[in-house]
Amino acid sequence: MKISPSELPLLKALWSKGELSAREIHEQVSVSKSWSFSTTRKTLERMVGKDMVAMRELHGVRVYTAQVEKVSTLASMTRDFISRVLEVKGPLPGSMFTGSEILEPDEIKELEKLMKDFDESEQS
């Protein structure tokens, strides 16, 4: 699944905080994006339509949860960028993810394994 640049910050907010209202998501992304609240809501609606995000009512408030898994999504995006933009073929060192503010050490190991598995499947 292709994640757009406008969708990624919303997913990051959901990955880090779990279930959030549109207002809470907007507060998280407005630090780096100068979006209006309606832009955040519209992007969330599109993401629900693409099954990237689930929405439910909780005490009369719509709350959202990510439906795409963080590590596999980031692995796919990273591999796409590395091969398409930088034209790098072959395995990538896990050390390139050290210092990430959104990945825990166990997630870095999982990401490294997914990247290695992807490289091996491409060579087959």
Side-chain angles (χ1 to χ4, degrees):
M1 171 176 295
K2 186 100 168 141
I3 309 293
S4 76
S6 61
E7 295 164 340
L8 185 59
L10 280 66
L11 283 173
K12 284 180 173 181
L14 291 169
W15 287 331
S16 71
K17 303 291 184 185
E19 190 172 65
L20 295 170
S21 69
R23 177 66 61 196
E24 291 168 322
I25 294 169
H26 180 71
E27 289 170 3
Q28 293 282 315
V29 301
S30 66
V31 172
S32 61
K33 301 281 185 192
S34 56
W35 290 347
S36 67
F37 178 61
S38 63
T39 300
T40 300
R41 278 196 351 250
K42 188 67 177 169
T43 304
L44 282 167
E45 289 172 17
R46 269 196 335 266
M47 293 170 75
V48 168
K50 293 165 71 174
D51 293 326
M52 296 168 64
V53 170
M55 186 274 298
R56 71 181 182 104
E57 295 275 336
L58 179 65
H59 306 296
V61 176
R62 292 180 179 178
V63 292
Y64 300 86
T65 54
Q67 295 297 291
V68 292
E69 202 274 323
K70 176 169 82 170
V71 175
S72 61
T73 300
L74 293 175
S76 175
M77 293 177 73
T78 302
R79 176 40 61 202
D80 176 64
F81 176 81
I82 296 294
S83 63
R84 184 177 46 81
V85 176
L86 299 177
E87 298 182 13
V88 172
K89 307 294 180 214
L92 299 169
S95 61
M96 72 182 274
F97 305 109
T98 302
S100 170
E101 294 182 14
I102 65 169
L103 291 169
E104 299 296 325
D106 60 321
E107 292 174 325
I108 291 173
K109 288 179 184 170
E110 183 183 349
L111 182 58
E112 185 174 30
K113 181 185 179 324
L114 286 170
M115 300 289 287
K116 182 178 181 236
D117 292 348
F118 180 82
D119 290 331
E120 289 173 358
S121 70
E122 285 231 325
Q123 293 174 2
S124 302

